[in-house]
Amino acid sequence: MRTFFDKHKHSLFLLYFLIYTPWFGYLERTVTTHFHVIHMAIDDYIPFCEYFIVPYLLWFAYVAVGVAYFYRKNREDYTKLCVMLFTGMTVFLVISTLYPNGHYLRPTDFARDNIFVDAVKWLYATDTSTNLFPSIHVFNSIAIHVAVWKSEDLKEKRMIRFGSAVMMSSIILSTMFLKQHSVFDVLTALVMASFLYTFIYGTNAGKLFVRQRGKYERKLPQI
């Protein structure tokens, strides 16, 4: 057991979901009708396009595969990624709790009837149009791509880096073309990602966190 824990103790980061999941679930149940409406004029000029449901749903695999890859490949990259992801997700939860928000951008009628529209209807039925900013779809996609872009292990993997950029961009666009998010949600996610990137990757603070974490782990008593 001690050997297993020493080898996999960085997986303790994932315990964060024991906090995030019930907190987000509570917000989804309680923020339903009384909320601050999020809207920008540019939202009205973005057409609905059901085909963006594909990258929108691929977000789940994109984030999961990204976290799993860095978990197995590079502990320092994994640590930085988790710090960025979970800090941003916590900021989102706090904002949604203190400032309940939602929108009325979703279409009620659809010009076409196809499998993609059916998937969008399913999405609308399972995901409320509340708790919107900063967009976690956008923020997490940026965080994964930053980790890919900054990874020394992937520096020569041009196809992976290019594919990640395409996936990130497609997911960001999908949030607006599916009317899941306002442009405001996207912009606030970009701002938050930029700030956390600067702190975690662009200064010595992120490196110091990783060094101190490693120093602490080496000093753990052997039982």
Side-chain angles (χ1 to χ4, degrees):
M1 288 295 294
R2 186 182 67 186
T3 301
F4 179 85
F5 179 78
D6 287 343
K7 186 176 180 180
H8 297 282
K9 51 180 169 276
H10 53 302
S11 64
L12 293 176
F13 271 115
L14 302 180
L15 292 177
Y16 172 77
F17 286 101
L18 296 179
I19 300 172
Y20 179 84
T21 303
W23 191 346
F24 179 74
Y26 168 79
L27 292 172
E28 286 286 276
R29 291 191 305 272
T30 57
V31 182
T32 55
T33 55
H34 296 86
F35 51 75
H36 299 85
V37 177
I38 305 301
H39 180 265
M40 295 183 72
I42 192 174
D43 295 328
D44 300 328
Y45 293 94
I46 299 175
F48 170 82
C49 181
E50 70 270 22
Y51 303 113
F52 276 98
I53 189 65
V54 176
Y56 189 88
L57 294 179
L58 284 175
W59 172 83
F60 295 96
Y62 181 56
V63 173
V65 170
V67 171
Y69 172 81
F70 290 108
Y71 174 86
R72 294 178 60 87
K73 187 68 175 180
N74 189 302
R75 187 169 297 190
E76 181 174 340
D77 289 343
Y78 168 79
T79 297
K80 289 182 178 180
L81 173 59
C82 285
V83 171
M84 186 166 180
L85 283 173
F86 301 154
T87 301
M89 291 164 71
T90 302
V91 170
F92 157 77
L93 289 172
V94 171
I95 291 175
S96 296
T97 301
L98 300 179
Y99 187 80
N101 57 87
H103 70 60
Y104 296 110
L105 298 174
R106 291 177 172 180
T108 55
D109 298 308
F110 300 91
R112 293 172 293 276
D113 184 15
N114 54 47
I115 189 173
F116 302 102
V117 170
D118 291 340
V120 172
K121 290 179 180 178
W122 170 83
L123 176 65
Y124 286 179
T126 56
D127 185 20
T128 68
S129 57
T130 58
N131 310 310
L132 302 172
F133 80 95
S135 167
I136 290 302
H137 250 68
V138 172
F139 174 79
N140 284 4
S141 298
I142 295 172
I144 294 294
H145 182 62
V146 165
V148 170
W149 195 259
K150 299 292 289 186
S151 172
E152 289 295 326
D153 298 313
L154 297 175
K155 207 161 192 177
E156 303 302 322
K157 307 291 186 180
R158 295 184 179 180
M159 290 302 297
I160 292 178
R161 287 157 64 91
F162 175 76
S164 177
V166 171
M167 180 61 69
M168 176 195 68
S169 301
S170 299
I171 291 170
I172 292 173
L173 291 173
S174 75
T175 64
M176 294 176 284
F177 281 93
L178 290 179
K179 300 300 181 178
Q180 279 290 91
H181 285 281
S182 164
V183 173
F184 179 79
D185 309 329
V186 174
L187 294 177
T188 50
L190 289 170
V191 170
M192 183 167 69
S194 298
F195 175 80
L196 290 177
Y197 168 82
T198 300
F199 179 77
I200 296 169
Y201 291 91
T203 68
N204 290 325
K207 295 179 182 179
L208 178 63
F209 175 85
V210 174
R211 287 200 299 269
Q212 291 299 322
R213 176 177 175 272
K215 182 179 178 181
Y216 168 76
E217 288 175 347
R218 287 192 295 272
K219 288 186 176 181
L220 285 176
Q222 300 298 315
I223 300 174

